[in-house]
Amino acid sequence: MKAISVKEASCLKGTIAIQGSKNTVLPIIAATILTSGISVIYNCPDIIDVHVMCELLNCLNIRTCYKEHTLTIDTNDAAYNSLPYELTGRLRSSVLMLGAMLARWGRAEIGMPGGCTIGTRPIDIHLEGFSKMNVDIEEYGDCLRCKTFYMQGCDFVLRYPSVGATENLLLAACGAKGRTVLRGAAKEPEIIELCNYLVSLGILIDGIGTDVLVIKGTGCIGCSDYVNVYDRIVAGTYLLMSCGIPADIRLTGIDEIHYIRNVLRVCAGLGLNVVRLEHYLHIQSSGIVCPGDFATGIYPEFPTDLLPMLITVLTKAMGESSVTETVFENRFAVVSELRRLGARVNVNGNRVYIDGNDKLTGHTVKATDLRQGAAMVTAGLMASGYTTITDTSFIQRGYEDIVGDLKGVGAVLEYI
Ligand code: UD1
């Protein structure tokens, strides 16, 4: 496990190019299992989760070649195989192999998914939906065995708009006989991108962008290339970071501002000035943070992934703030680590209270998951002296080069 040493930053100035989206590209990679031929994915981020997903495809005799943000996937010789827990347990999106493999082969035997430890993260909604499609499911140890002789389209109500379950059921529905209706589906941008990609493969989907998706499976699925969108959470990371540190930054690569409107609204309330220009967002801040009461929520509300960043920045606010988490039950690992840096932060139920007016002091803290890790880097930039963040391989699961990005805007930090 690597560590990062971060020096307090007096200001951030320069340009950051926002990488391609992790949470969009992983389901698209899973979707290529449905195809026969060669697909090219452009703007694919160079992150651990993408490479593990490729290893999973390789287990199915699908060839992958990653070069300079372009991922080529050749499914011509795809062949059924089981997927070991040693790989599936390394990321959450491995669970999407289930839907895609069921659609292609009518069976899937895979290890349980992993991912960030931010709650129990059950997959009961995914499995309920598969059962409704006539899939037999057996759990044994760390593995799942799913099988169907005839996958049947169905009318299924998701009791919570789970992003992963919506993606998994969309993928499975592509191989089901007849029509599948998903009610109460998630509406996140990642779902819209996946639907559009599936449509480009020849699948018929109605209701894209709404919470009722109607999918008409087809036996004949073509190939299609995909240009990945920017990562709205990485963009949000740098936007929030710029609230807590005096900044004059250009963010490039943000073509569709719509996806981050919720984050921009919160950042404006915190004191960030954002101007949209033709090829970039120009963001400026004095580093003075206004307090407030915030809540995370399903899209288009403020994303849960950015909760650790928001709490970190609010330690500096000129007064008391609170943030309520409504999506995951345990996304508060950031709190204990911020306390090590001197922050006065408390958790009560699903709400975090931040006293504000704190000047953080450099210390050694731990990255415990992907987004909390990015928040720790931010805390290090805000804290006096030097901060060491350990276990930073969590961060590399989703941020291509956080150290390089921040060096590019004048921050002093390095891997040690
Ligand atoms: C995805 C994102 C993650 C983001 C989250 C919510 C990926 C790889 N990850 O995670 O970054 O924070 O969406 O936007 O895309 N739930 C159940 N049963 C289920 C499935 C989910 O109870 O079968 C619950 C979860 O425990 C959680 C809530 O639903 O409390 C949301 O989970 P979900 O939307 O499924 O998130 P992920 O797809 O895991």
Side-chain angles (χ1 to χ4, degrees):
M1 288 272 187
K2 283 184 180 171
I4 299 176
S5 170
V6 184
K7 187 181 177 209
E8 178 181 12
S10 54
C11 93
L12 301 173
K13 190 170 168 53
T15 301
I16 299 178
I18 301 300
Q19 69 184 65
S21 166
K22 167 176 99 65
N23 289 353
T24 304
V25 87
L26 296 176
I28 302 276
I29 294 175
T32 62
I33 291 176
L34 304 169
T35 67
S36 281
I38 296 176
S39 311
V40 184
I41 299 176
Y42 299 97
N43 196 27
C44 183
D46 189 359
I47 51 175
I48 291 175
D49 278 15
V50 162
H51 298 301
V52 178
M53 207 67 177
C54 289
E55 283 185 60
L56 285 165
L57 291 186
N58 299 156
C59 294
L60 303 170
N61 212 28
I62 294 172
R63 285 182 290 275
T64 56
C65 172
Y66 186 89
K67 211 170 169 190
E68 291 168 7
H69 299 117
T70 301
L71 175 61
T72 306
I73 300 176
D74 180 351
T75 55
N76 274 311
D77 299 321
Y80 177 82
N81 206 345
S82 57
L83 301 178
Y85 176 68
E86 291 67 42
L87 285 178
T88 60
R90 290 177 62 190
L91 80 170
R92 180 72 180 168
S93 294
S94 58
V95 74
L96 303 180
M97 304 302 267
L98 270 181
M101 288 172 73
L102 280 167
R104 177 148 190 169
W105 291 295
R107 61 184 172 136
E109 193 173 330
I110 80 166
M112 287 291 187
C116 291
T117 319
I118 49 180
T120 51
R121 305 193 84 176
I123 54 167
D124 52 333
I125 302 173
H126 304 232
L127 301 185
E128 262 173 50
F130 290 148
S131 291
K132 200 109 196 257
M133 293 173 132
N134 201 28
V135 176
D136 292 327
I137 300 157
E138 194 190 330
E139 276 188 58
Y140 62 103
D142 286 330
C143 295
L144 275 171
R145 192 179 286 139
C146 299
K147 204 166 62 182
T148 178
F149 290 109
Y150 184 85
M151 199 150 62
Q152 179 64 60
C154 69
D155 196 319
F156 180 64
V157 181
L158 287 84
R159 62 183 155 68
Y160 182 89
S162 156
V163 174
T166 303
E167 292 165 346
N168 227 344
L169 297 172
L170 267 166
L171 292 170
C174 295
K177 303 278 182 292
R179 214 173 66 127
T180 300
V181 184
L182 300 177
R183 300 179 195 276
K187 295 185 287 187
E188 264 68 3
E190 292 76 22
I191 304 288
I192 297 175
E193 289 295 318
L194 176 61
C195 286
N196 287 335
Y197 179 68
L198 294 174
V199 168
S200 77
L201 297 181
I203 305 291
L204 300 174
I205 306 180
D206 278 341
I208 297 175
T210 74
D211 62 356
V212 181
L213 296 169
V214 182
I215 307 108
K216 179 93 178 51
T218 161
C220 168
I221 294 184
C223 261
S224 184
D225 294 345
Y226 175 70
V227 182
N228 191 19
V229 294
Y230 72 95
D231 195 307
R232 65 189 176 105
I233 304 301
V234 172
T237 301
Y238 295 133
L239 283 162
L240 282 159
M241 184 182 284
S242 305
C243 298
I245 302 162
D248 184 352
I249 295 179
R250 291 172 177 204
L251 290 185
T252 62
I254 300 179
D255 37 15
E256 178 57 86
I257 200 164
H258 189 62
Y259 290 163
I260 50 167
R261 277 209 196 287
N262 42 19
V263 180
L264 289 173
R265 207 172 299 126
V266 166
C267 288
L270 295 175
L272 191 68
N273 185 32
V274 180
V275 179
R276 186 183 181 188
L277 295 161
E278 200 179 344
H279 297 298
Y280 58 89
L281 290 188
H282 188 192
I283 58 182
Q284 289 178 300
S285 92
S286 60
I288 297 169
V289 181
C290 302
D293 298 303
F294 305 90
T296 65
I298 54 177
Y299 188 81
E301 303 301 324
F302 186 82
T304 167
D305 300 66
L306 291 172
L307 171 127
M309 286 294 303
L310 179 58
I311 293 173
T312 301
V313 166
L314 288 171
T315 60
K316 200 183 171 188
M318 300 170 305
E320 293 173 11
S321 301
S322 71
V323 187
T324 306
E325 166 63 0
T326 68
V327 180
F328 289 101
E329 75 266 29
N330 184 21
R331 199 155 210 167
F332 301 129
V334 68
V335 168
S336 56
E337 299 306 294
L338 283 175
R339 284 206 195 117
R340 281 181 199 276
L341 302 179
R344 292 163 305 146
V345 191
N346 290 297
V347 184
N348 188 355
N350 67 341
R351 186 166 296 168
V352 177
Y353 295 92
I354 306 114
D355 277 1
N357 286 312
D358 288 327
K359 176 65 196 165
L360 304 180
T361 308
H363 206 288
T364 297
V365 289
K366 196 172 168 175
T368 57
D369 65 67
L370 168 59
R371 306 303 173 190
Q372 180 269 5
M376 285 300 107
V377 174
T378 306
L381 293 170
M382 288 164 55
S384 62
Y386 285 85
T387 299
T388 301
I389 299 118
T390 65
D391 296 22
T392 53
S393 54
F394 284 114
I395 303 173
Q396 290 159 324
R397 286 197 35 224
Y399 294 83
E400 214 174 68
D401 185 12
I402 199 168
V403 167
D405 284 351
L406 293 172
K407 276 186 173 172
V409 289
V412 178
L413 74 172
E414 60 187 339
Y415 282 109
I416 52 173

